[in-house]
Amino acid sequence: MRAHPAGPLHGSIAPPPAVGAAPADLGELDRHVWPRTAERIGGELHLGGRPVTDLARAHGTPLFVLDEADFRGRAAEFATAFAGADVHYASKAFLCGQVARWVAEDGLHLDACSGNELAIALAAGFPAERIALHGNNKSLVELRLAVDAGIGHVVLDSFDEIDRLVPLAAARLAAGGGPVPVLIRSTVGIEAHTHEFIATAHEDQKFGFSLATGDALTAAVRVIREPALHLAGLHSHIGSQIFDTAGFEAAAHRVVGLLGQVHQATGELLEELNLGGGFGIAYLSEDDPVSPHDVAERLRAVVAAECAQLGLPVPRLAVEPGRAIAGPGTVTLYEIGTIKPVRLGSSGTPGAPLVRNYVSVDGGMSDNIRTALYDASYTCVLANRTSDAPPALCRVVGKHCESGDVLVRDLWLPSDVQPGDLLAVAATGAYCWSMASNYNYLLKPPVVAVRDGEAIEVVRRQTLADVFALDAVLADVPAPSPAIDQPAPEHAAGARS
Ligand code: LLP
């Protein structure tokens, strides 16, 4: 689908509601979708043992609430399922100092895809040797940071990048350091999405070295001959939010084939095969992701079979889950401001027009761009209370000046939701805060980690003063405090509530 740039209402007639029958219990928390510690106590949603009304009062809304036990539990499940392999947390999904520390303490590796993600992980004390740096356009500065820090792998993405890295690596070698360990990112011609994978024509994108054209092999041979670099292995990543292991299996087949080609051409047996991330999560009850255990089993079996066929030793495996670790454990809390019933036409019952309630909340596409950008589906519940009121067809929208500013396109909420109620949107831990913007000068929400009844603000709310500070004219003008429309956080970052 290609969205109209000004939003669906500008592009065409609004589509009819794509929502099934209302569930019997509108306040139900499907275990499949909600964080592991989510529960209703006295009707109110609790996360990590904390009532959402307390969290909203202490930290304001919109608010990302991160269930530490869920995040770390999922990380641990990947580590166990892939024992003997390396699990890199793909930090683009969500990164802050606290998350970097959890991931480090729990023994995982970390994938950074920019110099700043790398700098944040290093500043939080993440062991450099467990970090891999990705990126299709790494700058000299980013590469220098990686080399100086002594990170685990630079994942090479282009011939230009090899040219940029070699002098830095040679200088390190001359100064008595070891060769820089690298992987070659190969584009295996497969792009996988949700339920299908397509194995042709996906060479036409910016990442990696093409396997089909021979560039991946050429790059590997070149790196092997370069004394300042050490080619530790190969990398492939085929997409994101994938529910089916068939695409990974096809990719593994091809990338093991490349291992064989490299061996034939140079006699080198590469020690590592990184199959990237992309494991899907449940945003809705009907989504059916594969467990880390099943993914690990399938990938191990395919790689072992391919290697046996080519007479190669099985390399050490690595994977890079981001969404599957960070996504399910976070919810976004919003306060409802305005509710507008919009008549859509006839419901078929005389005298009962089809109405959709536009429920406006105090955030929107600046804290979750995924619905507008990818037509992503989310679910949400009334969080501060339950209600026996009959279901009403709703669309949860933000407060941005744009009709495409939709958070949850179609869902049923109790018909008595009202301004001041709290809504909780599930599974917003990946690619929401990390893709947040200041559109319309809304401010980035804080992130509060909850565990065993304790709440710690791990990222504070951005303030208008932060924004003024960037502006040449406003830098010295005192910003109104609290910022307009944003509750003043009573707690600084790191504070407990
Ligand atoms: N490794 C590499 C090389 C990647 O490019 C990515 C994601 C991952 C690992 C982690 O993928 P995950 O396990 O999180 O699916 N903004 C989009 C997703 C972009 C993914 C980019 N690369 C979204 O909101 O759906």
Side-chain angles (χ1 to χ4, degrees):
M1 193 196 97
R2 220 182 147 74
H4 187 279
L9 291 182
H10 294 259
S12 61
I13 295 180
V19 64
D25 176 2
L26 291 178
E28 196 198 338
L29 305 170
D30 184 346
R31 311 275 11 125
H32 200 52
V33 170
W34 289 87
R36 288 174 174 169
T37 69
E39 58 182 335
R40 292 230 183 233
I41 301 177
E44 179 174 356
L45 174 63
H46 284 55
L47 297 161
R50 292 303 303 259
V52 289
T53 49
D54 274 12
L55 294 169
R57 202 173 303 121
H59 304 277
T61 53
L63 175 65
F64 286 95
V65 185
L66 193 180
D67 178 350
E68 178 183 344
D70 187 298
F71 183 105
R72 297 181 86 165
R74 288 176 201 275
E77 282 157 22
F78 267 101
T80 306
F82 281 93
D86 294 334
V87 178
H88 292 243
Y89 169 58
S91 69
K92 68 206 80 183
F94 174 64
L95 181 65
C96 67
Q98 187 63 67
V99 159
R101 287 201 175 153
W102 292 341
V103 175
E105 278 169 33
D106 296 345
L108 277 73
H109 293 228
L110 183 135
D111 139 19
C113 72
S114 73
N116 289 349
E117 283 182 359
L118 172 59
I120 286 172
L122 290 172
F126 202 96
E129 65 280 5
R130 282 198 263 143
I131 302 180
L133 180 63
H134 277 279
N136 65 301
N137 185 22
K138 301 179 195 75
S139 69
L140 202 53
V141 171
E142 290 174 312
L143 290 170
R144 189 174 290 123
L145 175 64
V147 171
D148 290 351
I151 70 165
H153 293 131
V154 174
V155 186
L156 294 174
D157 205 285
S158 68
F159 290 109
D160 284 340
E161 182 184 339
I162 298 176
D163 292 342
R164 276 197 284 270
L165 181 59
V166 165
L168 299 173
R172 173 164 115 159
L173 204 59
V180 172
V182 298
L183 303 180
I184 296 276
R185 178 164 175 171
S186 56
T187 312
V188 293
I190 290 165
E191 187 181 273
H193 284 295
T194 317
H195 292 295
E196 85 263 17
F197 72 94
I198 311 158
T200 51
H202 293 284
E203 301 287 330
D204 190 7
Q205 45 100 350
K206 67 178 183 172
F207 291 110
F209 294 94
S210 163
L211 200 145
T213 62
D215 278 0
L217 179 60
T218 306
V221 172
R222 168 147 179 226
V223 169
I224 285 168
R225 296 197 175 132
E226 174 51 64
L229 301 179
H230 165 61
L231 182 59
L234 302 177
H235 179 281
S236 132
H237 171 79
I238 55 167
S240 202
Q241 185 59 0
I242 301 165
F243 284 160
D244 189 331
T245 54
F248 292 111
E249 290 167 20
H253 166 76
R254 292 189 179 185
V255 82
V256 172
L258 178 59
L259 275 182
Q261 290 175 19
V262 173
H263 180 234
Q264 254 188 354
T266 65
E268 289 287 324
L269 287 169
L270 305 183
E271 68 248 31
E272 178 163 335
L273 195 59
N274 185 325
L275 294 173
F279 315 112
I281 64 165
Y283 286 97
L284 304 176
S285 295
E286 58 263 37
D287 293 338
D288 192 16
V290 189
S291 72
H293 173 268
D294 290 354
V295 173
E297 231 175 34
R298 287 300 313 142
L299 292 186
R300 281 208 176 93
V302 170
V303 171
E306 296 294 334
C307 287
Q309 205 171 14
L310 295 176
L312 296 172
V314 177
R316 186 177 177 82
L317 280 186
V319 286
E320 298 172 329
R323 187 191 317 264
I325 291 177
T330 291
V331 307
T332 315
L333 288 182
Y334 300 98
E335 186 179 303
I336 296 174
T338 294
I339 301 175
K340 194 179 287 178
V342 173
R343 212 179 142 137
L344 301 180
S346 161
S347 67
T349 313
L354 185 61
V355 167
R356 174 159 36 213
N357 288 330
Y358 276 77
V359 177
S360 296
V361 297
D362 50 358
M365 65 198 302
S366 55
D367 61 68
N368 184 354
I369 187 69
R370 297 193 68 261
T371 307
L373 191 57
Y374 311 119
D375 203 24
S377 299
Y378 285 91
T379 191
C380 77
V381 293
L382 176 60
N384 51 312
R385 61 185 176 96
T386 46
S387 162
D388 292 332
L393 179 65
C394 292
R395 174 164 291 173
V396 179
V397 296
K399 59 179 285 147
H400 291 277
C401 189
E402 175 144 350
S403 56
D405 173 27
V406 173
L407 290 168
V408 186
R409 198 167 299 286
D410 292 300
L411 87 162
W412 299 98
L413 287 171
S415 52
D416 66 348
V417 289
Q418 51 193 279
D421 274 332
L422 294 177
L423 283 185
V425 178
T428 57
Y431 306 111
C432 289
W433 192 92
S434 65
M435 294 175 78
S437 75
N438 284 132
Y439 185 40
N440 298 148
Y441 278 128
L442 264 64
L443 304 172
K444 287 192 194 174
V447 182
V448 170
V450 288
R451 174 162 209 146
D452 300 331
E454 251 200 278
I456 300 175
E457 199 165 270
V458 294
V459 182
R460 76 154 162 81
R461 185 180 300 282
Q462 196 180 29
T463 63
L464 201 49
D466 294 334
V467 173
F468 275 25
L470 300 174
D471 188 299
V473 171
L474 305 179
D476 298 324
V477 178
S481 179
I484 295 157
D485 248 342
Q486 300 290 339
E490 290 166 23
H491 297 268
R496 286 154 208 272
S497 65

